Amino acid sequence: MLIPLLALLAPAQGSDAPLEPGQILVGQWPGADFGAAILSAGDVDLNTKPDLLVGAPQDSSEGTLRGRAVLYLAARDNSGYDQVAWTVSGEIDRGQYGASLAGGQDLDGDGFSDVAVGCGGSCWVVDLYLGTKAGPGLEPDWSVDGGGGSFGHAMAMLGDADGDGYADLAVGDRLGGEDGTVHIYPGGADGPGAAQQLVGDPDHAIGGTVAAAGDLDGDGLADLATGSGVEDPLAPSVSVFLGAAGGLDGTPAAWLSRPADALGMGVSLGGGGDVDGDGRDDLVVGADGIGDDPAVGYGHVLGWSGATGGLPAWQRTDSVPDTLLGRAVAIAGDVDGDGYADVLAGRPGWQEDQELEGGAVLYVGGPTGPGAWPAWKAGGDQAAQDHGGAWIAFGQAVAAVGDVDGDDRADVAVSAINTGASTYEARLGEVRLFMGTAWTPPAPQDTGGDSGDPADTGAGGGEETGCGCASALPSPAAALLLPLALLLPWRRR
C-alpha cells in the first residue's frame, strides 16, 4: 500500500547521505549507448573484488549496430575499477550485442565468476565467457543460438537452483511459444548442460524480463522471477519459480499481481537481498508508468517479501508523472551498514536542475520494508540541450555492484547513456559509481500534515525539502519540456 508522508527528513546531502559519489567510467565508442546495461560480474579474476560488466549495444565500430560488452576489473587497492580490462564485440549487423548481460555466479565450479553476453536486436546468440586469473578470454567458452524470437534478450545467472552445487543460467524468450519461455541451463564442470524449459500461460506471460530472485523460500536453492517486460505494459503479473532438486519447479509458486495504477509493471526486476530483515530474500519490480496510451503515467517501485505473491507488500511512487521511476531497479545490498538490504531505482525521465537530466533514488531497508521516501537521490547534472536535445538518460540502468572499496558496505552503479558529446550521435555515455557509507537518518521534522505521497517528487523543479521532495506541480518551464520530451528518443529501448 502507499504510505502517506507524515514527516520530512532534514537535508541529506554529501556525507550525510548513505551514498557518496565515486569513480566515473566513460565510454570510448561514439553512439554506442554505453551503459544501456550494467551489472556486477562477480569476482571474475579471483582477486576478492567484484568486477563490473557494461553493455554498449549500439556500437557500430565493428559493423552496423553490432554492439559490444566491456569488463572492468576492480582494483586491489580499493580505489574503484581499473580501465577497460576486456571487451568483445558482436558479429552480426544490427544484433545489438551487449544489450543483455548476466554474471556474478560460477557456472563451472572453478571458483571464478563467469559472465554471459546476449543481444537485443536481430541476434539470438548467448555467449558464455568463463572467469580466469587473467580474466575471461576473447572467444566464448560456450554459446547457444535460439534461432529467433527474442531468445537471449533477457537473462540472469541464478545461483544453484537445482541443488547440484553449480550456478545456473536463465535465458528468456518472450516471443517463444505462445506465452513466452525461459530456458534454464544447469551449470557443470564441463559447462552448461541441456536446458529445462519453463513456459508461460495466457494470463502470465514470461521471458521478457528475467531476474535472479535469491532464495525466497529459505530452502537454500536459488529462485527465479520473470515477466513479459516491455512487450506487454498492461501485464497482470510477474511469475515466481522456486528452485528444486533436479531443476526449477515448472509450476509457478506465486504470481506478483499488478496494482491497477502501476502501468508497465515488470519492465525491470530485482532480487537477492533481504530488505525487511525477516530472513528471506525479497523482490522488487519496476513499473515505469508507460501503458498502451502514448502518455507517460506515474512510475512505481513495487516490493514483495519472500515468495508471498499477490499485491505488493509496499509501493513507492513519484508524485508527478513522466519521471519513469522504476525503469530500472535493483536490491542494492546493505549500503548504509544497518543490516538491511536497500532498494535502488532509476528514473531517467526526471528533471529538476537540468532539462531531461534523469535521476536515481535509494530507499533504505528496515523492519517494515524500505523507507517511505528516498534517503538519497542523484540527478544527471547535465542538460539535454547541451547534448543534442535528447535526454541524458541517467538512471536508464542501475546495478548493485558489491563492495568495491572494501569498507564492508555495498556500492551501486548508475548509467547515463547520452553524455560526453554535444550531439546525440556522438554520445559516449558513462557509468557512475556511488559508494555506500555509514549513515544515520536525521531526526524527523513535523510538517504538520500529509503530503499525499511518500516518494520524491523531483520532476517538477519545485522547492527542495529535506527528503529530496519538491512541489507536486512542475515549474512552467518543466511543464513545457515534458510533452516535448515524448517526441525524443527516450522511450523504452
Side-chain angles (χ1 to χ4, degrees), residues 423-441:
T423 65
Y424 183 74
E425 292 73 20
R427 66 197 182 279
L428 294 177
E430 62 190 35
V431 175
R432 304 180 195 176
L433 189 64
F434 296 90
M435 319 308 292
T437 187
W439 177 74
T440 301

Side-chain angles (χ1 to χ4, degrees), residues 211-216 223 270-275 280-284 330-333 341:
D215 182 10
L216 298 172
D223 305 319
D274 184 5
V275 178
R280 303 284 177 89
D281 284 333
D282 303 319
L283 284 169
V284 292
I331 294 184

